[in-house]
Amino acid sequence: MRKTALLLLLSAYGTLAWAQQSQKVRGKVLDADNKPVAGATVNIKGSTGGTKTDADGSFALDVQKGKTLKITYVGMKEQEILVNDASTYSIVLQSGTDLDEVVVIGYGTVKKSDLTGAVASVTGKDLQANLAKSAAGALQGRVAGVTVSSASGTPGAGMSINVRGLSSMGNNAPLYVIDGVFGDINMVDPNDISSLEVLKDASAAAIYGSRAANGVVIITTKGGRKATPATLSVNAYTGIQSLPKKMDLMDGPQWKQFQQDNGYLPTEAQNLNTNTNWQDEVFHTAPVNKVNLDISGGGEQSTYSVSGGYLNQQGILKTTGYKAFNLRTKNTFSFFNNHLRVGNTFLIKSGDRKFSDLTITDILRQNALVPIYDANLVGGYATYAPWMKNLDNPVGVLNLFNRHVYQTDLMLNGYAEVDLFVKGLKYKLNVGVNKTTGRNYNKGDAYTYGTDVRKSFLNESAFFNNQWLVENTLHYDNTFDKHTISALAGYSAQENTNRGFGVGRNNLPLGTDAIDAASPTEQTTSGSLNEAALISQFGRVMYSYDSRYLLTATIRRDGSSKFADGARYGVFPSIALGWNVMNEKFFETAKGTVNEFKLRASYGRLGNQEIANYTTQRITTYGINYLQGGTWWQGASTGINWVSPRNLTWEETATSNIGLDLAFMQKKLNISADYYVRETKNILLGINQPPSAGLKGTPVMNAGTISNKGFELLATYKNSVGELNYNIGVNASTVKNKVKAVTVGNVQEFGGYNPQGEGTITWAKVGYPIGGFWVIQTDGLFQSDAEAQAYKSADGKVIQPNAAAGDIKFVDYNKDGRIDNNDRQYVGSPFPSLAYGIRGGLDYKGFDMAVFFDGMYGNKIYNYTRARMEQTNEVNNHSARLLESWTPSNTNTDIPRYTRQDPNDNKRRVSDRWIESGAFFRLKTIEVGYTLPAQWLSKATLKNARVFLAGDNLFTVTKYKGYTPDLGQSNGDNGTPSGVLTAGTDHGRFPLARTIMFGVQANF
């Protein structure tokens, strides 16, 4: 019996021992795109055993059945796998989109669950739209409350970015911070971005108080990964660009017949049979090519990332284009068991922007009867006849004039961070340098213009912009039971120096390209030097109790050299509160339905110092020269320009924000909403002075108040059905902008866009939006002479005495019996009442597709391009719409009668005839891709590869009659005015191209 019991006991023990023996488990860790995750940590839960994945994401480990594997990787959700009888496992890690996601804020990071401010975060993967030629373009439509619109379609021209409306009459661009250094978003290639955060409210942005009134965009570039073998990534595409639409113009025969029917055909034109289509001659299908290479990896104590890119984009307007090369390196090192950390980012971009100042409206107005070439004329291009409007030959302008901006931007950031002797306390030194050097090149050959011969010329100028930044910060982070505190204190100093000079000469011999080859008898020189400095002290405290109650308090004090002593410093505080309702005990029963529920509220003040240097100082004006006794005397004086008052100080923007964050369905559906009120006081504004004072310029004063109110909504949904994964995201924003007060002088309005001096269209007036359109309204056409004469004021005065049948009837708004600028009415704003973006994507067994729609509603556009095409008082080509002009036999039309004399001033610029709806719905991008199967790639030593076909700006649904309704603030290209008050004005903007492209992405 004892022997039997002993045998049973030994048998049970052997069985138990066998069960506890380890088994070899193999696996592969992938990300959401089925790409291998190298360097992921695979630990056996509850023990010290573990390993890391290799370059292919593979691992092998001895694990007992029933144990749990814990897989972790920075930026991704932790995952646990129960080991069963299987010996092979495939593990997919999702990106860290839960409440513990880390969000970059000013001078640090914070868990998303502890975030109290209005911060929008976009991952590098989202930003790396394969079509994007710039980081600004990749950002378009992704963030509620952030408007990214076209400043010009010229390659390399950049885009207009605005956060939560206009708060200033000056610069409204946000502040860009690239790896801790203030810089230019156009320096960064979208392929190099790891994450991008937009700080929208005062609580989030106040740590950058000095220049944060227009929002802050923080860009973090890609870095390497520790203990990871080198990975080479390639991203390349090639494509073609074309003009999406053409203006409908009269051709040569139509123009001759139309002029003859109306009795205006010149005798000299009767035998002219040329029929030049100027749009076809100057616009063409243009190629675009882009390639990026990236090598990244790291050792046990260091990481590295090196990338390079090249973009070659020809413009759809012939002879224009942009070439740019960029190089970026990023390194980190740790010493003394990671108690000392150092790192650096180096970024250089060199570009060649070739552009033309050809006025787009001149292309549309040049007569089709003018030929392109004339070998008998200087320059070889035909010119207008004496009886025509004096317009340049568009093809001649593109080929005879050569304009470039050569620019090299360099950014260097270095930091050192050390842990001090108190737990959680560390000191960081951050140093940054920005240098921009460039050369403007403007050359023109001699050519015939009408009856004159224009001289050849060469103008060149150089510019050198230097900026250095030094920041010292102390950080303290610690947790005590349920209390978590994060504190920051810092000191910052910054200096900017800008220097430039230029020279020009005429009569440059043909075939030469040097200033000294031209005539010294006609030359110009110029030069400038500007310096500005800023010093700041700042601090922030973030507190969390039990991840339920959140507090953030920030203060920054800035001193700017742009202001005089006594008004130099500004103090910008903010406070924010948050409540994670979902972490309350009473919410436990609802957690299965509502996965996130957080309330946020904040208030703070931000500053703006964007005025010219030396505004409050008397500066010397040179060039006041004279001849005396045959000698050239150089003179200078300090009493030439207006000087702003010495009490001139910062603009201050106070922002209140309330927000709500929700998540449902296991966080598949996420919703974020914000309502804000921004009020800017002491706006910096140039105030016109009486000419009798005899001084130049306009002194800047603190002169008014501007308010913005808006609502923002972002909703995203991600899910899967079997092997089909899909997502959709919608963002929408509204903003109401208003000038609340003008506090200097008696004038309560400031004029803006005034095309060719023919009448001011946009105004900043108290009670209305900045840049609102103020024009005379129209009321159809007079159908008879008698009707025109019967249009009288209350006292019997004929309001439009020169009007006849077919002329426009203008509204006598002020009832004074005549039509003039005093009859202008407010007819709308260039800013939409609703802006939105819709993104969707799906992938299935290697196939993927992504689409992006964007649009605006409620905004207006002033179409000066159409105004010039439809005016009748000059001998130039016209829009084909004039073929529908009113005649006694064609009265059912909105086009007035054709008259060269135009006694009724039907072409009147200050008229709602040229105001159009700017609403549009656009398929901005669509992309279809295929990830090649792994078995296809093994022989090519590729880890993964993807091919894609994409389109940009494919179609736009709009009633706007111009090239494109996407019109932000103009940048001054192609003869267009620039400035805040040019938004929504089409003075002849360079059209946006439609692009089709094919690309490849691969990892080695």
Side-chain angles (χ1 to χ4, degrees):
M1 184 68 180
R2 291 180 179 177
K3 291 182 179 179
T4 303
L6 181 60
L7 288 172
L8 289 174
L9 180 61
L10 291 174
S11 176
Y13 178 79
T15 303
L16 182 61
W18 175 83
Q20 290 180 337
Q21 285 179 352
S22 297
Q23 63 184 37
K24 180 68 72 172
V25 171
R26 301 181 185 276
K28 194 165 189 177
V29 179
L30 306 170
D31 64 13
D33 296 322
N34 290 321
K35 297 178 182 178
V37 179
T41 300
V42 183
N43 284 329
I44 303 172
K45 193 172 182 180
S47 72
T48 58
T51 186
K52 288 193 175 184
T53 58
D54 61 17
D56 294 326
S58 301
F59 69 90
L61 199 62
D62 291 329
V63 187
Q64 296 174 0
K65 180 180 177 181
K67 290 288 187 179
T68 299
L69 294 181
K70 183 170 70 172
I71 300 94
T72 58
Y73 189 78
V74 176
M76 294 184 175
K77 291 182 182 179
E78 178 183 297
Q79 189 163 336
E80 294 184 352
I81 299 293
L82 179 66
V83 176
N84 49 34
D85 293 329
S87 60
T88 304
Y89 296 85
S90 180
I91 302 146
V92 178
L93 295 182
Q94 301 296 325
S95 61
T97 55
D98 59 9
L99 282 176
D100 289 328
E101 177 185 353
V102 174
V103 177
V104 178
I105 58 174
Y107 301 99
T109 61
V110 64
K111 290 193 301 182
K112 187 178 178 183
S113 59
D114 291 341
L115 185 65
T116 55
V119 178
S121 182
V122 185
T123 66
K125 179 183 174 183
D126 291 334
L127 278 173
Q128 291 161 31
N130 300 309
L131 296 171
K133 305 169 189 70
S134 67
L139 183 61
Q140 190 170 33
R142 295 184 182 275
V143 178
V146 178
T147 303
V148 182
S149 52
S150 170
S152 168
T154 307
M159 306 191 80
S160 174
I161 300 180
N162 180 253
V163 179
R164 289 186 166 182
L166 297 182
S167 63
S168 174
M169 292 288 287
N171 184 2
N172 282 273
L175 175 69
Y176 301 105
V177 184
I178 306 167
D179 284 351
V181 179
F182 304 131
D184 182 356
I185 191 173
N186 294 311
M187 288 185 65
V188 187
D189 191 290
N191 286 276
D192 289 336
I193 296 177
S194 173
S195 69
L196 184 150
E197 276 77 21
V198 182
L199 314 184
K200 296 188 286 186
D201 73 337
S203 168
I207 198 69
Y208 294 112
S210 58
R211 289 164 297 171
N214 301 315
V216 180
V217 177
I218 300 179
I219 298 172
T220 304
T221 63
K222 291 179 180 178
R225 297 171 178 173
K226 286 187 176 181
T228 303
T231 300
L232 171 63
S233 300
V234 179
N235 189 345
Y237 67 72
T238 182
I240 57 173
Q241 307 163 100
S242 59
L243 185 68
K245 65 181 290 188
K246 293 181 180 178
M247 299 294 101
D248 190 10
L249 307 173
M250 294 184 189
D251 60 22
Q254 283 178 321
W255 188 87
K256 288 176 63 176
Q257 187 63 52
F258 180 73
Q259 296 294 332
Q260 183 172 318
D261 292 345
N262 286 278
Y264 290 112
L265 182 65
T267 304
E268 300 91 334
Q270 293 177 355
N271 296 323
L272 296 180
N273 296 310
T274 302
N275 187 19
T276 304
N277 187 321
W278 292 105
Q279 288 186 98
D280 286 349
E281 295 298 331
V282 300
F283 292 112
H284 69 148
T285 298
V288 57
N289 299 284
K290 189 171 188 282
V291 62
N292 288 87
L293 300 175
D294 180 272
I295 301 175
S296 63
E300 293 297 329
Q301 306 298 330
S302 63
T303 68
Y304 63 89
S305 175
V306 181
S307 66
Y310 178 72
L311 169 68
N312 187 348
Q313 180 187 8
Q314 292 188 25
I316 57 174
L317 184 66
K318 291 180 179 179
T319 76
T320 65
Y322 182 63
K323 298 177 183 179
F325 170 79
N326 64 279
L327 176 68
R328 181 191 59 87
T329 67
K330 187 172 185 176
N331 304 277
T332 66
F333 306 91
S334 64
F335 305 95
F336 308 114
N337 198 24
N338 202 36
H339 288 297
L340 172 63
R341 299 164 295 277
V342 299
N344 65 77
T345 300
F346 173 79
L347 193 155
I348 185 170
K349 179 178 181 180
S350 181
D352 171 11
R353 179 175 173 237
K354 189 177 188 304
F355 65 103
S356 173
D357 58 359
L358 174 64
T359 304
I360 300 297
T361 55
D362 286 357
I363 301 170
L364 308 175
R365 295 194 301 149
Q366 182 58 276
N367 203 306
L369 299 178
V370 176
I372 300 173
Y373 305 103
D374 189 338
N376 297 316
L377 298 179
V378 175
Y381 291 92
T383 188
Y384 64 89
W387 51 270
M388 296 179 180
K389 173 65 178 175
N390 56 333
L391 298 172
D392 269 316
N393 181 318
V395 177
V397 170
L398 292 175
N399 290 289
L400 293 171
F401 294 86
N402 191 5
R403 302 191 67 180
H404 290 260
V405 176
Y406 303 99
Q407 181 169 321
T408 299
D409 298 285
L410 181 148
M411 189 199 84
L412 177 63
N413 161 251
Y415 72 86
E417 186 177 58
V418 60
D419 295 330
L420 301 181
F421 300 104
V422 177
K423 181 183 177 181
L425 182 64
K426 54 190 176 182
Y427 162 77
K428 184 176 182 179
L429 171 66
N430 184 60
V431 178
V433 174
N434 270 317
K435 294 178 71 69
T436 297
T437 61
R439 177 169 62 97
N440 295 303
Y441 175 88
N442 184 11
K443 180 185 177 183
D445 293 338
Y447 73 105
T448 301
Y449 179 74
T451 58
D452 297 332
V453 176
R454 298 292 174 90
K455 297 177 181 179
S456 62
F457 64 87
L458 176 59
N459 298 314
E460 292 190 86
S461 61
F463 52 91
F464 310 89
N465 305 327
N466 299 305
Q467 171 187 294
W468 60 259
L469 169 74
V470 177
E471 293 177 326
N472 296 271
T473 53
L474 281 174
H475 302 256
Y476 178 72
D477 301 276
N478 213 338
T479 298
F480 308 92
D481 192 19
K482 295 183 179 182
H483 306 274
T484 299
I485 188 169
S486 176
L488 163 73
Y491 176 85
S492 172
Q494 178 181 333
E495 185 177 79
N496 299 277
T497 302
N498 304 313
R499 179 183 288 274
F501 60 86
V503 62
R505 287 186 180 184
N506 294 335
N507 286 325
L508 186 73
L510 189 64
T512 60
D513 191 29
I515 285 286
D516 60 355
S519 171
T521 59
E522 297 181 63
Q523 64 179 351
T524 58
T525 59
S526 62
S528 63
L529 172 64
N530 283 274
E531 296 178 330
L534 192 73
I535 59 172
S536 311
Q537 304 90 38
F538 50 91
R540 178 180 61 212
V541 175
M542 294 186 292
Y543 170 75
S544 169
Y545 176 74
D546 199 22
S547 292
R548 287 185 288 164
Y549 311 120
L550 313 171
L551 167 70
T552 301
T554 306
I555 189 168
R556 180 161 179 144
R557 179 176 182 263
D558 291 298
S560 172
S561 65
K562 293 187 176 184
F563 303 113
D565 288 338
R568 187 157 285 171
Y569 286 90
V571 178
F572 309 104
S574 76
I575 188 169
L577 301 173
W579 180 23
N580 273 321
V581 181
M582 62 169 293
N583 291 335
E584 296 288 354
K585 291 183 179 179
F586 64 77
F587 203 77
E588 286 292 333
T589 57
K591 276 190 176 182
T593 304
V594 182
N595 314 123
E596 179 182 357
F597 184 6
K598 181 167 67 172
L599 298 174
R600 297 177 279 106
S602 67
Y603 173 81
R605 296 200 305 268
L606 304 170
N608 186 359
Q609 55 143 7
E610 294 304 318
I611 58 174
N613 296 332
Y614 317 120
T615 298
T616 61
Q617 303 174 39
R618 293 190 177 276
I619 60 174
T620 302
T621 301
Y622 298 94
I624 309 172
N625 307 323
Y626 59 96
L627 285 172
Q628 182 175 351
T631 302
W632 182 261
W633 292 83
Q634 295 183 349
S637 176
T638 60
I640 304 298
N641 298 303
W642 279 101
V643 178
S644 295
R646 293 187 62 80
N647 63 351
L648 183 73
T649 190
W650 300 80
E651 281 185 359
E652 284 197 0
T653 298
T655 302
S656 301
N657 190 99
I658 56 174
L660 171 68
D661 299 317
L662 295 168
F664 305 90
M665 306 168 64
Q666 284 71 53
K667 300 180 184 176
K668 294 176 182 176
L669 175 62
N670 294 271
I671 298 173
S672 181
D674 285 271
Y675 176 76
Y676 64 89
V677 177
R678 300 173 66 199
E679 184 170 283
T680 303
K681 296 182 179 180
N682 295 325
I683 62 171
L684 297 165
L685 189 61
I687 305 297
N688 292 323
Q689 301 296 314
S692 58
L695 299 178
K696 294 181 179 180
T698 56
V700 176
M701 301 182 184
N702 297 115
T705 304
I706 297 171
S707 72
N708 289 276
K709 299 178 181 180
F711 177 77
E712 299 166 355
L713 175 68
L714 173 64
T716 60
Y717 180 75
K718 296 182 180 181
N719 204 352
S720 61
V721 178
E723 295 186 62
L724 174 65
N725 302 304
Y726 62 93
N727 66 83
I728 186 170
V730 178
N731 72 76
S733 60
T734 68
V735 61
K736 292 185 178 180
N737 173 272
K738 183 172 69 174
V739 180
K740 292 188 67 174
V742 175
T743 56
V744 174
N746 298 320
V747 178
Q748 298 292 292
E749 59 187 32
F750 295 89
Y753 175 64
N754 185 350
Q756 308 297 119
E758 297 177 283
T760 303
I761 311 299
T762 62
W763 292 80
K765 296 191 178 186
V766 173
Y768 295 91
I770 294 175
F773 296 113
W774 291 77
V775 292
I776 300 169
Q777 293 195 341
T778 58
D779 188 19
L781 305 178
F782 294 115
Q783 296 300 322
S784 66
D785 293 347
E787 181 184 352
Q789 295 303 308
Y791 182 37
K792 298 180 179 180
S793 63
D795 59 1
K797 181 181 179 181
V798 178
I799 296 174
Q800 293 176 234
N802 297 322
D807 281 333
I808 294 175
K809 179 180 180 181
F810 295 103
V811 175
D812 181 19
Y813 181 64
N814 66 351
K815 307 297 183 182
D816 66 352
R818 60 183 179 181
I819 303 299
D820 56 26
N821 285 338
N822 294 318
D823 292 307
R824 291 174 302 195
Q825 301 181 54
Y826 173 72
V827 295
S829 167
F831 307 108
S833 53
L834 174 67
Y836 57 90
I838 305 171
R839 291 185 178 273
L842 57 87
D843 63 84
Y844 178 75
K845 292 185 176 181
F847 291 93
D848 62 86
M849 184 180 73
V851 294
F852 165 44
F853 298 91
D854 69 340
M856 294 183 179
Y857 174 79
N859 57 308
K860 300 293 184 181
I861 293 176
Y862 182 83
N863 192 344
Y864 185 63
T865 301
R866 182 168 68 87
R868 304 201 84 180
M869 292 162 55
E870 295 184 17
Q871 71 182 70
T872 64
N873 64 313
E874 295 177 337
V875 186
N876 52 255
N877 200 14
H878 300 301
S879 166
R881 296 186 73 233
L882 263 62
L883 298 173
E884 305 169 12
S885 297
W886 186 96
T887 65
S889 60
N890 181 40
T891 60
N892 187 24
T893 180
D894 62 348
I895 305 297
R897 68 186 177 111
Y898 186 84
T899 167
R900 191 70 58 75
Q901 293 74 30
D902 194 14
N904 189 55
D905 199 15
N906 293 324
K907 72 176 189 307
R908 185 188 300 270
R909 298 296 185 242
V910 187
S911 162
D912 70 352
R913 182 183 175 192
W914 318 118
I915 299 290
E916 300 182 29
S917 170
F920 68 88
F921 176 74
R922 172 173 59 183
L923 175 56
K924 186 66 177 70
T925 59
I926 183 170
E927 180 180 332
V928 179
Y930 179 64
T931 299
L932 304 181
Q935 58 267 29
W936 295 10
L937 306 175
S938 57
K939 294 183 180 180
T941 67
L942 284 172
K943 295 179 181 178
N944 53 68
R946 175 178 176 269
V947 294
F948 63 88
L949 182 67
D952 179 54
N953 197 30
L954 293 183
F955 74 79
T956 303
V957 179
T958 182
K959 294 181 179 179
Y960 182 61
K961 298 181 177 68
Y963 281 120
T964 175
D966 182 8
L967 299 174
Q969 180 178 317
S970 174
N971 66 352
D973 280 354
N974 300 102
T976 62
S978 61
V980 173
L981 298 177
T982 63
T985 62
D986 190 348
H987 195 88
R989 300 281 187 99
F990 194 113
L992 295 180
R994 173 181 293 148
T995 307
I996 305 293
M997 61 186 64
F998 171 78
V1000 176
Q1001 297 169 317
N1003 290 324
F1004 296 87

